[in-house]
Amino acid sequence: MIEQLYVQLREWDERIFLWCNGLGAHPVLDRLLRGCTFLGGAFFTIGITLSVALFVAEPLATYGWKSFAALTISHLSAVCIKRRLRRMRPYDALPQAKIKTAPLRDFSFPSGHTTAAFSTALPLLSAFPWGMYVALPLACLVGLSRVYLGVHYPSDCAAGALLGLAAASLVIAFPH
């Protein structure tokens, strides 16, 4: 029963991946989603969290530090999970997958970019609730971009979002 459910979930994951990954090669869409994927990258997430922490007045600086702490916790957790589960990237497992970015050397599950996007967004959203109209859609676009570009399955991104939200929730729960 559990094995059958696992097989069904894997098939669903692959079908959604292939649909999203096969949306076409429109230059504007390619450029837009490559830009969105950048928002979950180390350079951007570390840069933005430390910039807020170091260069913005209190009480916002505290939220910058909380975002940085959530980013650190979620990153370390994601790396441990990747090394333990060792899930192949979709472009290595599915011959029909289209890779639209440089191939990566690490494992697929969970998506580190999606983890970073959600872990950094939530603490800042606790300071600016109105920011959810921008930050949450952008974090979701980071996950979508990873699938579109061919480097993650949808379940990798869903797990990354949950991991990022869990790490951020843990950090937010601690008082200033």
Side-chain angles (χ1 to χ4, degrees):
M1 173 89 167
I2 291 177
E3 186 174 320
Q4 183 181 2
L5 178 61
Y6 172 75
V7 169
Q8 288 176 334
L9 288 173
R10 192 182 72 225
E11 289 172 355
W12 172 82
D13 207 22
E14 289 177 5
R15 277 196 307 271
I16 292 175
F17 167 81
L18 290 171
W19 176 81
C20 185
N21 179 244
L23 285 175
H26 193 278
V28 173
L29 189 57
D30 289 355
R31 185 170 291 133
L32 174 69
L33 291 178
R34 279 192 191 104
C36 286
T37 214
F38 172 77
L39 297 176
F43 180 78
F44 183 80
T45 55
I46 293 169
I48 198 75
T49 57
L50 287 180
S51 292
V52 171
L54 295 171
F55 303 117
V56 176
E58 288 294 346
L60 297 180
T62 297
Y63 292 100
W65 286 116
K66 286 184 180 240
S67 283
F68 183 72
L71 177 63
T72 302
I73 292 166
S74 67
H75 172 73
L76 294 173
S77 300
V79 168
C80 290
I81 294 168
K82 281 181 187 245
R83 289 182 180 167
R84 175 102 171 129
L85 296 182
R86 306 173 66 90
R87 185 180 196 185
M88 289 175 60
R89 297 264 177 193
Y91 55 80
D92 288 328
L94 303 172
Q96 63 272 50
K98 300 171 189 164
I99 181 139
K100 301 171 187 174
T101 189
L104 302 169
R105 290 183 233 123
D106 65 343
F107 297 103
S108 185
F109 185 90
S111 165
H113 280 71
T114 309
T115 300
F118 278 89
S119 69
T120 57
L122 190 59
L124 294 174
L125 287 176
S126 64
F128 296 111
W130 54 265
M132 76 175 156
Y133 299 111
V134 176
L136 286 181
L138 284 176
C140 290
L141 274 174
V142 169
L144 174 66
S145 73
R146 304 305 286 165
V147 178
Y148 175 83
L149 295 172
V151 293
H152 284 291
Y153 293 99
S155 61
D156 299 340
C157 297
L162 291 174
L163 182 59
L165 291 171
S169 296
L170 178 69
V171 168
I172 290 168
F174 283 97
H176 300 280

